[in-house]
Amino acid sequence: MLYLDNSATTKPDPAVLESYIKVTEQYYGNPSSLHGMGETAAQLVEMARKSAALYLNGSGKVIFTSGGTESNNLAIKGFAQSLRSRGNHLITTNIEHPSVLEVFRHLEKEGFAVTYLPVDERGVISIDQLRSALKKETILVSIMHVNNEIGSVQPIEEAGRVIKNHSRAMFHVDAVQSFGKLPIDPDKAGIDALSLSAHKFHGLKGTGLLYLNTDQQVVSQMLGGSQEFGLRSGTVHTAGAVALAKAMRLASEQLEEHRKHLIEGRDLLRNFFETREEAEVVSANDQAPHILAVSVPLLKGEVVVHALEKMGVYLSTSSACSSRITKKSHVLKALGLSDDVIKGAFRISLSPDVSLNDLEEFKKIWEEVIPPLLEGVKRNER
């Protein structure tokens, strides 16, 4: 089995699982309880909170959440509602994850005005267009660091400087696909809020965080017991918080080693597909180290995915969150690609566990599986 769908989710690290099980079994007290078991659990949560902030190189506030979608919702709705008296203009890009785009569309129905920044053929925004879009009424800018479908990397530090120099807007970054693969420093980039999801970097599903690097109030989207500084009511997931901090530590400590390995694997695949007549590489040369989008314009992406799955290779057509939706990818449309290229697109996403030998084996499987499929298509067209 060769798993190449690591942008959808990663295999949990055994050390992360061990921490989760240990805390679940031994420290199951409710962190909000006043007795000793509760206090012990609360201490573990606070230790995890401090560690998580440390791995983001900052002293901001960590809010533990269920993952990227909840973190994005809390940041975007929370800032928009908190700052509405100052203005009603919001900015994002047209290639964001649905957990961002759908929130902005919802806010438009509530009367907010939203500017959706376009991207170039590489999937990257223009800093000049961002600067031009900023207004006196702009209260929030949300830009993803790494796109989940094509791996394009946004100029987050430049964007942060422009936002802070030309407006009073809050700056939110969806870093779900970048943490552990690329360095990110919220202080240096002027980031006020940053979203993470643990299962994207060998942590566990259902655990994530919103990092708040500002004193600006965020309106809670979940009412109840006022846990997590009143921003996320509900019993705090002690084991999830500890496991998340463990996954962040492992990802941070091995970032450079893993990044080098991922780049070698990505470039091996890019060089392979660039020699294949049937394939077209969609991702730009300067994209993230772990994502490569490719298309076979004469086949549907799902045909490629299912054909390779029969040989034990697992990849996906686009993002896992929208791969079962039949409409065209909004990200690929934004690049100006033809319908055939969009239709035949699929995504390979790597992890440090995937060796170069694994990818050499993938190349053999591709040559064994895909050309015969194309011959069948050509015969049917005659």
Side-chain angles (χ1 to χ4, degrees):
M1 191 269 278
L2 179 54
Y3 183 74
L4 300 176
D5 196 17
N6 289 280
S7 286
T9 194
T10 56
K11 182 180 179 180
D13 190 292
V16 174
L17 273 175
E18 183 181 357
S19 293
Y20 184 85
I21 292 170
K22 181 179 179 181
V23 174
T24 300
E25 289 180 339
Q26 299 182 19
Y27 306 102
Y28 52 86
N30 188 326
S32 297
S33 296
L34 296 179
H35 50 65
M37 288 181 66
E39 290 180 0
T40 301
Q43 289 171 3
L44 288 173
V45 170
E46 293 313 308
M47 289 171 62
R49 199 184 311 278
K50 288 180 181 177
S51 295
L54 177 67
Y55 299 124
L56 290 170
N57 297 326
S59 56
K61 184 187 298 181
V62 169
I63 312 299
F64 291 116
T65 68
S66 62
T69 293
E70 183 186 343
S71 298
N72 288 338
N73 271 262
L74 176 57
I76 298 166
K77 289 182 189 173
F79 277 133
Q81 293 167 0
S82 173
L83 294 168
R84 192 161 197 173
S85 61
R86 187 193 295 176
N88 75 334
H89 181 236
L90 315 170
I91 297 175
T92 189
T93 83
N94 61 2
I95 63 166
E96 297 293 312
H97 187 272
S99 64
V100 169
L101 277 182
E102 292 305 317
V103 178
F104 277 99
R105 287 170 183 148
H106 175 79
L107 290 171
E108 281 185 288
K109 294 176 183 176
E110 293 189 351
F112 288 94
V114 180
T115 296
Y116 296 93
L117 297 174
V119 294
D120 62 17
E121 69 280 2
R122 299 174 301 136
V124 179
I125 64 166
S126 158
I127 290 297
D128 287 339
Q129 287 184 331
L130 169 61
R131 185 184 295 109
S132 298
L134 291 167
K135 305 176 182 178
K136 180 182 176 185
E137 300 79 17
T138 306
I139 55 174
L140 172 66
V141 179
S142 180
I143 300 174
M144 70 193 326
H145 192 190
V146 168
N147 182 265
N148 53 307
E149 294 191 37
I150 58 174
S152 57
V153 181
Q154 302 304 330
I156 292 300
E157 291 189 13
E158 287 181 77
R161 280 195 293 272
V162 166
I163 293 165
K164 295 305 173 188
N165 288 338
H166 296 273
S167 77
R168 294 195 298 157
M170 292 290 108
F171 184 27
H172 166 249
V173 172
D174 175 355
V176 165
Q177 289 290 346
S178 65
F179 186 81
K181 287 88 175 178
L182 294 173
I184 186 163
D185 186 330
D187 283 344
K188 191 175 179 182
I191 296 170
D192 298 300
L194 180 141
S195 301
L196 295 184
S197 182
H199 75 101
K200 304 296 188 180
F201 50 90
H202 303 282
L204 302 177
K205 296 176 185 65
T207 60
L209 64 79
L210 177 66
Y211 178 72
L212 291 175
N213 201 27
T214 173
D215 294 328
Q216 175 60 49
Q217 183 184 2
V218 176
V219 174
S220 172
Q221 304 301 308
M222 195 179 296
L223 304 178
S226 299
Q227 288 89 347
E228 295 296 283
F229 310 101
L231 293 177
R232 207 263 183 176
S233 294
T235 303
V236 178
H237 189 183
T238 307
V242 172
L244 168 61
K246 184 69 165 283
M248 291 180 73
R249 178 172 71 80
L250 295 173
S252 299
E253 290 176 349
Q254 302 171 86
L255 189 150
E256 287 306 321
E257 176 188 349
H258 286 172
R259 182 164 66 151
K260 180 182 176 184
H261 177 72
L262 292 170
I263 289 173
E264 288 178 345
R266 179 203 64 191
D267 289 349
L268 183 154
L269 290 176
R270 171 180 288 279
N271 292 337
F272 170 69
F273 283 116
E274 286 180 344
T275 66
R276 304 296 306 182
E277 290 185 359
E278 73 275 13
E280 183 173 325
V281 177
V282 173
S283 297
N285 284 318
D286 55 354
Q287 88 280 20
H290 60 301
I291 296 175
L292 187 69
V294 182
S295 175
V296 179
L298 290 178
L299 294 174
K300 290 183 178 179
E302 54 263 39
V303 172
V304 174
V305 168
H306 291 310
L308 292 173
E309 182 183 359
K310 291 178 181 176
M311 301 297 288
V313 178
Y314 296 86
L315 39 80
S316 64
T317 50
S318 55
S319 71
C321 297
S322 57
S323 60
R324 295 182 187 277
I325 299 174
T326 54
K327 67 180 181 181
K328 295 176 187 174
S329 158
H330 68 285
V331 176
L332 301 182
K333 285 171 67 178
L335 301 184
L337 300 173
S338 70
D339 287 347
D340 284 343
V341 172
I342 293 175
K343 181 188 68 179
F346 59 93
R347 177 188 69 187
I348 297 172
S349 47
L350 305 174
S351 84
D353 298 332
V354 179
S355 70
L356 296 183
N357 286 337
D358 290 335
L359 297 179
E360 292 292 346
E361 185 62 27
F362 168 81
K363 289 162 58 177
K364 294 176 184 174
I365 293 173
W366 178 276
E367 291 170 337
E368 181 181 341
V369 171
I370 301 303
L373 276 177
L374 286 164
E375 283 303 314
V377 171
K378 291 174 182 175
R379 278 197 300 273
N380 291 334
E381 289 179 344
R382 287 173 193 150

